[in-house]
């Protein structure tokens, strides 16, 4: 309404007063504006559209005045309406016309207010030209940003920021061209207009080529060259964006990770060339099956793929993946008869996004855990993270404890005290995990991490482990390496990879003076800080060859003395309350 009102006020009846010569110029300038609108180009990186028609309207203001310019705008808008009839709804043309009316009228008023005079470009009135162009540009940015905010519900600040970042340089080019056109029109008339159109079309074409090259480079950098799917880097970016979007909107989001079952066996049997062919075959199937969905399929690495599924909750994601799995099972591929299942198969893990998942690595880890569980259950399965029954979780946990204890049994022949120490620390961790109300996964990681935390000591010579005297500097440096050796041992077993931080960091100190990295305070994971307290308490209260044994009371005094330096003060008090309560309950039971 504002735009149409301005048109009526400043140009409503002016068409009656133009001479035939003026109408000739109006027609020529409107034609130029239409041509430049047709040659609209896109700018990297977001693909925002921009045309050079604004330079025509500004030049008309500088030479012919406001009424003339509004007539050029009206005529060009009507021609574009006819050209785009059926492809663009009428109200968008009307809205565009109104926006241009506001910009043109405001720029003209600013030009006149600062002493601008219609006619040739006057160097003595540069401030008038600059102010007119500035008003035009500012209004253009604000009005288009507001349009996206109202119609598409875009964030106004982010929209304006994106427009300024992406289009500022190109828009500056448009404004400068308006001054060039002013000079050419005044001195060279129609020849000048023709030269300007040639120049503008070449610039538009150059920007189009630039955008095309940018998109091509972007496509190459985001795609896996072998499969044509998105690559790992693009997946990371897309996951972050989709998680952020789901957090704001509350929409469902799921992540599925799939891994070709027994791929190594196929590679060993037929060679890597055939193995690559199988990867491409699965990639093509994934493209085909997700073609009409908004699912983002990526090659995660090797024979692993990810499917990022906006709008899919855990159940919908599982149903889709089950259908996908069955489709692959019934797909023929050369040599598939060698697989244990007798057909092509994959295992899949699904993790649904929850509000308490703050980092993309957490969602990936959840999907990876679910994938690993599907592998353990016999492969060719789809499993959703956290969907095991309590009985299944207990059985899995018991199996993990047994597997670790089998490795710890080696200590019974090398260092019995380390074996006993690991078992005691594990029992403390079980109690503490209950008191901290940890979720199932954190409880598993914390308690198993406590059980396996000293596994690296298997690499230390027997003589050093059982030495009665004080260790030499060289021997102590070797002992400190057990956290690194233990971490490397855990990483060799996919089942226990997530326990590596508990092994590696249980000798870090709250004040940053620990080893191996000197991490400080919150840099050390919370449960690793708790494990440090448990480990030290048990070491103080059991007989060791290199230190005197402390009573529980003496050990509590020591813990408090070291709170804030070696130990997390808050977790230290938590552990002390647990120990004191346990001791009281133990005394009452004995009585």
């Amino acid at each position: 309404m504002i735009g149409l009102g301005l048109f009526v006020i400043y140009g409503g009846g002016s068409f009656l007063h133009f001479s035939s010569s003026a109408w000739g110029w109006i027609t020529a300038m409107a034609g130029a504006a239409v041509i430049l609108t047709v040659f609209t180009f896109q700018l990297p990186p977001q693909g925002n559209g921009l045309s050079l028609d604004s330079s025509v309207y500004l030049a008309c203001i500088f030479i012919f005045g406001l009424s003339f310019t509004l007539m050029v705008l009206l005529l060009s808008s009507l021609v574009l309406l006819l050209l785009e009839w059926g492809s663009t709804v009428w109200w968008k043309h009307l809205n565009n016309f109104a926006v241009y009316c506001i910009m043109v009228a405001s720029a003209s008023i600013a030009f006149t207010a600062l002493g601008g005079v219609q006619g040739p470009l006057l160097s003595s009135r540069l401030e008038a030209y600059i102010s007119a162009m500035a008003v035009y540009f500012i209004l253009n940015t604000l009005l288009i940003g507001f349009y996206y905010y109202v119609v598409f519900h875009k964030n106004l600040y982010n929209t304006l920021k994106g427009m300024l970042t992406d289009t500022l340089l190109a828009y500056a080019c448009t404004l400068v061209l308006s001054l060039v056109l002013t000079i050419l029109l005044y001195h060279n008339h129609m020849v000048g207009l023709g030269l300007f159109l040639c120049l503008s079309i070449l610039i538009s074409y150059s920007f189009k080529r630039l955008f095309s090259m940018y998109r091509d480079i972007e496509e190459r950098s985001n795609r896996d060259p072998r499969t044509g799917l998105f690559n790992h880097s693009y997946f990371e970016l897309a996951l972050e964006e989709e998680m952020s979007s789901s957090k704001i909107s509350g929409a469902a989001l799921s992540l599925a990770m799939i891994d070709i079952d027994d791929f190594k066996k196929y590679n060993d049997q037929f060679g890597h060339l055939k193995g690559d062919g199988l990867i491409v075959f699965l990639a093509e199937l994934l493209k085909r099956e997700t073609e009409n969905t908004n699912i983002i399929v990526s090659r995660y690495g090797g024979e692993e793929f990810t499917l990022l599924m906006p709008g899919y909750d855990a159940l919908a994601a599982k149903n889709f993946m089950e259908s996908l799995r069955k489709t692959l099972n019934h797909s023929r591929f050369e040599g598939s008869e060698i697989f244990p299942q007798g057909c092509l198969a994959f295992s899949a893990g699904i993790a649904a996004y929850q509000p308490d998942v703050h980092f993309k690595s957490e969602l990936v880890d959840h999907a990876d855990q679910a994938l690993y569980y599907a592998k353990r259950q016999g492969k060719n399965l789809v499993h959703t993270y956290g969907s095991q029954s309590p009985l299944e979780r207990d059985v899995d946990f018991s199996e993990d404890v047994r597997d670790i204890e089998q490795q710890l049994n080696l200590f019974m022949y090398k260092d019995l005290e380390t074996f006993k120490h690991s078992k005691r620390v594990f029992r403390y961790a079980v109690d503490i995990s209950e008191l901290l109300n940890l979720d199932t996964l954190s409880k598993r990681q914390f308690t198993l991490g406590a059980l396996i935390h000293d596994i690296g000591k298997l690499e230390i010579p027997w003589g050093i482990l059982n030495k009665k005297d004080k260790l030499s500097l060289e021997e102590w440096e070797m002992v400190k390496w057990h956290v690194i050796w233990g971490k490397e041992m855990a990483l060799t077993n996919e089942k226990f990879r997530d326990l590596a931080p508990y092994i590696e960091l249980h000798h870090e100190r709250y004040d940053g003076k620990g080893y191996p990295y000197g991490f400080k305070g919150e840099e050390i994971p919370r449960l690793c800080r708790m494990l440090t307290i448990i480990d030290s308490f048990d070491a103080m209260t059991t007989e060791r060859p290199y230190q005197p044994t402390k009573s529980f009371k003496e050990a509590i005094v020591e813990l408090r003395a070291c709170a804030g330096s070696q130990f997390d003060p808050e977790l230290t008090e938590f552990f002390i309350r647990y120990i004191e309560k346990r001791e009281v309950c133990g005394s009452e039971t004995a009585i």
Side-chain angles (χ1 to χ4, degrees):
M1 290 179 68
I2 294 171
L4 295 178
L6 288 171
F7 176 80
V8 171
I9 293 169
Y10 291 105
S14 59
F15 67 94
L16 298 172
H17 307 292
F18 290 123
S19 64
S20 56
S21 174
W23 274 109
W25 274 107
I26 288 172
T27 305
M29 298 304 288
V34 169
I35 290 171
L36 294 180
T37 303
V38 170
F39 278 90
T40 296
F41 51 88
Q42 290 175 292
L43 295 170
Q46 300 299 327
N48 292 321
L50 186 69
S51 67
L52 299 176
D53 61 326
S54 290
S55 57
V56 172
Y57 301 128
L58 284 167
C60 287
I61 292 171
F62 299 151
I63 296 178
F64 302 108
L66 179 54
S67 298
F68 181 97
T69 308
L70 289 174
M71 281 299 107
V72 171
L73 175 61
L74 176 64
L75 186 57
S76 62
S77 297
L78 290 173
V79 172
L80 288 170
L81 175 64
L82 293 173
L83 289 175
E84 297 177 6
W85 190 265
S87 60
T88 305
V89 292
W90 66 271
W91 65 264
K92 286 190 176 181
H93 282 286
L94 183 61
N95 179 79
N96 197 51
F97 174 72
V99 166
Y100 270 96
C101 282
I102 294 171
M103 294 188 301
V104 166
S106 301
S108 179
I109 291 168
F111 178 68
T112 305
L114 288 172
V117 179
Q118 278 80 39
L121 184 70
L122 302 175
S123 57
S124 60
R125 293 285 186 270
L126 282 180
E127 66 277 5
Y129 297 100
I130 292 171
S131 64
M133 292 187 292
V135 167
Y136 190 93
F137 171 69
I138 292 168
L139 284 173
N140 179 264
T141 304
L142 291 175
L143 291 170
I144 293 177
F146 185 69
Y147 171 78
Y148 276 94
Y149 170 73
V150 172
V151 178
F152 300 108
H153 306 292
K154 297 284 187 180
N155 181 282
L156 185 58
Y157 172 76
N158 290 336
T159 302
L160 293 175
K161 183 180 176 183
M163 288 177 62
L164 287 171
T165 303
D166 299 342
T167 64
L168 186 58
L169 184 61
Y171 215 105
C173 175
T174 305
L175 300 177
V176 170
L177 282 173
S178 68
L179 299 180
V180 172
L181 178 57
T182 301
I183 296 171
L184 289 172
L185 277 176
Y186 190 82
H187 293 287
N188 303 98
H189 310 297
M190 287 294 180
V191 174
L193 180 59
L195 289 173
F196 173 79
L197 281 176
C198 290
L199 176 64
S200 299
I201 290 170
L202 288 173
I203 291 173
S204 298
Y205 179 75
S206 299
F207 272 116
K208 279 189 176 182
R209 292 287 297 165
L210 174 66
F211 184 73
S212 176
M213 290 169 61
Y214 177 86
R215 279 287 184 253
D216 185 53
I217 294 169
E218 185 182 50
E219 185 75 6
R220 290 171 185 269
S221 67
N222 288 335
R223 295 282 178 179
D224 172 56
R226 186 169 300 282
T227 62
L229 298 176
F230 289 116
N231 57 23
H232 190 119
S233 298
Y234 182 84
F235 162 73
E236 295 278 347
L237 293 173
L239 177 59
E240 196 162 3
E241 287 179 6
E242 291 298 339
M243 283 180 62
S244 177
S245 176
S246 290
K247 186 175 183 179
I248 294 169
S249 65
L253 173 67
S254 292
L255 170 64
M257 297 186 74
I258 68 176
D259 183 272
I260 302 174
D261 291 334
D262 301 292
F263 180 73
K264 186 177 184 303
K265 182 175 182 179
Y266 188 89
N267 250 355
D268 292 343
Q269 180 79 17
F270 297 103
H272 290 284
L273 210 57
K274 281 285 186 183
D276 288 344
L278 175 54
I279 289 173
V280 171
F281 179 81
L282 177 56
E284 291 299 322
L285 184 142
L286 294 174
K287 285 182 197 174
R288 199 164 55 247
E289 295 299 316
T290 60
E291 189 173 8
N292 296 318
T293 70
N294 59 348
I295 296 173
I296 301 169
V297 186
S298 308
R299 186 182 181 190
Y300 194 71
E303 69 273 20
E304 286 189 322
F305 300 83
T306 60
L307 288 86
L308 189 55
M309 311 170 79
Y312 288 71
D313 59 17
L315 180 60
K318 185 168 185 181
N319 290 338
F320 182 87
M321 294 306 297
E322 285 287 5
S323 173
L324 198 61
R325 181 184 63 81
K326 290 173 184 176
T327 301
L328 182 65
N329 289 164
H330 293 99
S331 300
R332 294 294 305 155
F333 190 78
E334 184 182 354
S336 58
E337 62 277 357
I338 74 156
F339 291 113
Q341 309 278 356
C343 62
L344 291 178
F346 65 67
S347 298
I350 296 170
Y353 171 74
Q354 302 294 337
D356 60 352
V357 176
H358 303 292
F359 303 103
K360 60 186 178 183
S361 58
E362 291 180 69
L363 194 63
V364 172
D365 186 55
H366 291 173
D368 193 46
Q369 291 284 330
L371 170 60
Y372 179 66
Y373 184 87
K375 290 279 189 184
R376 286 180 60 191
Q377 301 310 304
K379 303 177 182 178
N380 196 24
L381 291 171
V382 177
H383 181 71
T384 304
Y385 176 81
S387 65
Q388 304 108 298
S389 67
L391 178 60
E392 285 179 314
R393 288 196 290 267
D394 290 343
V395 169
D396 290 342
F397 182 72
S398 299
E399 287 178 356
D400 291 340
V401 171
R402 281 196 299 273
D403 289 346
I404 292 175
E405 284 183 333
Q406 285 178 0
Q407 297 183 53
L408 293 179
N409 282 338
L410 295 172
F411 279 122
M412 297 183 72
Y413 304 99
K414 190 170 187 178
D415 180 18
L416 184 59
E417 286 307 314
T418 298
F419 176 82
K420 291 179 179 179
H421 166 69
S422 297
K423 296 284 283 183
R424 287 191 299 269
V425 171
F426 169 70
R427 285 194 289 271
Y428 282 131
V430 170
D431 289 348
I432 293 295
S433 67
E434 294 292 336
L435 294 174
L436 288 173
N437 295 317
L438 300 180
D439 61 77
T440 302
L441 181 61
S442 297
K443 186 183 295 184
R444 173 193 175 274
Q445 292 174 339
F446 179 50
T447 53
L448 294 181
L451 184 60
I452 202 175
H453 76 282
D454 270 341
I455 191 71
K457 287 186 176 179
L458 286 172
E459 298 295 314
I460 301 174
W462 184 91
I464 295 177
L465 278 177
N466 294 276
K467 187 176 180 180
K468 303 295 183 184
D469 301 325
K470 187 176 180 180
L471 297 176
S472 68
L473 184 61
E474 292 77 11
E475 290 169 336
W476 175 237
E477 287 299 321
M478 178 174 284
V479 168
K480 286 164 67 175
W481 269 92
H482 79 278
V483 294
I484 302 298
W485 293 329
K487 178 197 74 170
E488 291 172 352
M489 292 166 73
L491 292 178
T492 60
N493 188 333
E494 187 176 352
K495 195 174 178 182
F496 302 127
R497 291 175 68 88
D498 56 343
L499 307 182
Y502 298 92
I503 301 169
E504 186 178 25
L505 305 177
H506 73 275
H507 280 295
E508 295 288 359
R509 289 169 53 109
Y510 195 73
D511 60 6
K513 296 179 181 178
Y515 65 88
Y517 304 115
F519 288 161
K520 183 178 181 180
E522 300 294 324
E523 292 177 340
I524 310 164
R526 182 168 179 256
L527 292 178
C528 292
R529 301 199 300 268
M530 177 57 85
L531 179 56
T532 301
I533 297 167
I534 297 172
D535 180 48
S536 299
F537 180 82
D538 187 73
M540 288 188 281
T541 54
T542 54
E543 189 175 344
R544 293 288 180 106
Y546 48 83
Q547 68 178 31
T549 306
K550 287 180 169 57
S551 67
F552 274 28
K553 287 185 178 180
E554 290 172 331
I556 287 172
V557 171
E558 183 71 16
L559 286 178
R560 283 204 169 105
C562 296
S565 56
Q566 185 174 354
F567 309 121
D568 182 315
E570 182 184 342
L571 293 178
T572 299
E573 285 303 318
F574 183 91
F575 181 75
I576 288 172
R577 287 196 298 272
Y578 152 72
I579 288 294
E580 290 176 338
K581 184 176 180 181
R582 201 180 88 151
E583 285 302 294
V584 169
C585 292
S587 300
E588 289 175 352
T589 303
I591 291 170

